[in-house]
Amino acid sequence: MSRKALDIPVIQLPVSNLEKAVEWYQSMLGLAFTFPFQEGDDEAWLNVNGSIGLGLIRCDDVPNLSFRNKNGELKVVLTFRVDDIHDFYTDLKDKGVPVGEMVYKEGGGYSFIVKDLDGHRSYIWEGWPKE
């Protein structure tokens, strides 16, 4: 029997301060809880667009999830898609969130890198360019 992966329903992200991470992901990215979170829990589960559970997991030792490709370019593991990337970019900058330069890649659209409280870098991407 042939097997294949169907989707990625859960992503777990290590964080040093769970309560602050929850506040950051909710206020900066607009994510809501998948189910109730109680202060003191070691995990908080947020919902990304009704299809992905983002688990923020309290850890003593938080690894760096960024990496460099063979050309030395910094790459990230997570990408969040947003509807209006230019407004989103301005809003994050106004809130003092460390964001990278907005870039446009032919055929790939607009994106930029954002850094959370633990230094995890993620792409913010508007999606595939429309005709």
Side-chain angles (χ1 to χ4, degrees):
M1 181 174 163
S2 174
R3 303 204 191 279
K4 65 179 181 177
L6 300 177
D7 59 14
I8 300 175
V10 173
I11 296 171
Q12 296 183 68
L13 190 63
V15 298
S16 60
N17 185 316
L18 183 57
E19 289 76 15
K20 285 185 178 180
V22 164
E23 182 182 331
W24 191 90
Y25 278 88
Q26 287 187 320
S27 65
M28 299 302 159
L29 300 183
L31 302 181
F33 287 115
T34 300
F35 49 83
F37 167 72
Q38 304 294 321
E39 192 168 325
D41 288 350
D42 287 329
E43 300 178 355
W45 289 89
L46 302 172
N47 184 302
V48 181
N49 200 30
S51 61
I52 298 173
L54 177 62
L56 302 177
I57 313 300
R58 188 187 312 271
C59 295
D60 291 330
D61 185 24
V62 177
N64 180 345
L65 300 181
S66 301
F67 62 95
R68 295 194 181 274
N69 68 11
K70 69 178 190 147
N71 297 321
E73 299 166 322
L74 188 63
K75 297 296 181 178
V76 301
V77 175
L78 293 176
T79 298
F80 294 94
R81 189 177 60 78
V82 298
D83 287 330
D84 189 335
I85 196 165
H86 297 286
D87 283 348
F88 196 76
Y89 184 79
T90 301
D91 184 49
L92 289 178
K93 282 182 72 172
D94 290 347
K95 290 178 179 176
V97 176
V99 295
E101 179 182 342
M102 176 85 69
V103 296
Y104 180 80
K105 186 177 279 191
E106 187 71 33
Y110 286 99
S111 66
F112 63 91
I113 291 178
V114 64
K115 192 186 315 183
D116 75 5
L117 299 174
D118 281 297
H120 297 304
R121 291 174 171 87
S122 300
Y123 278 115
I124 304 295
W125 177 56
E126 191 171 38
W128 301 110
K130 297 170 182 58
E131 294 294 323

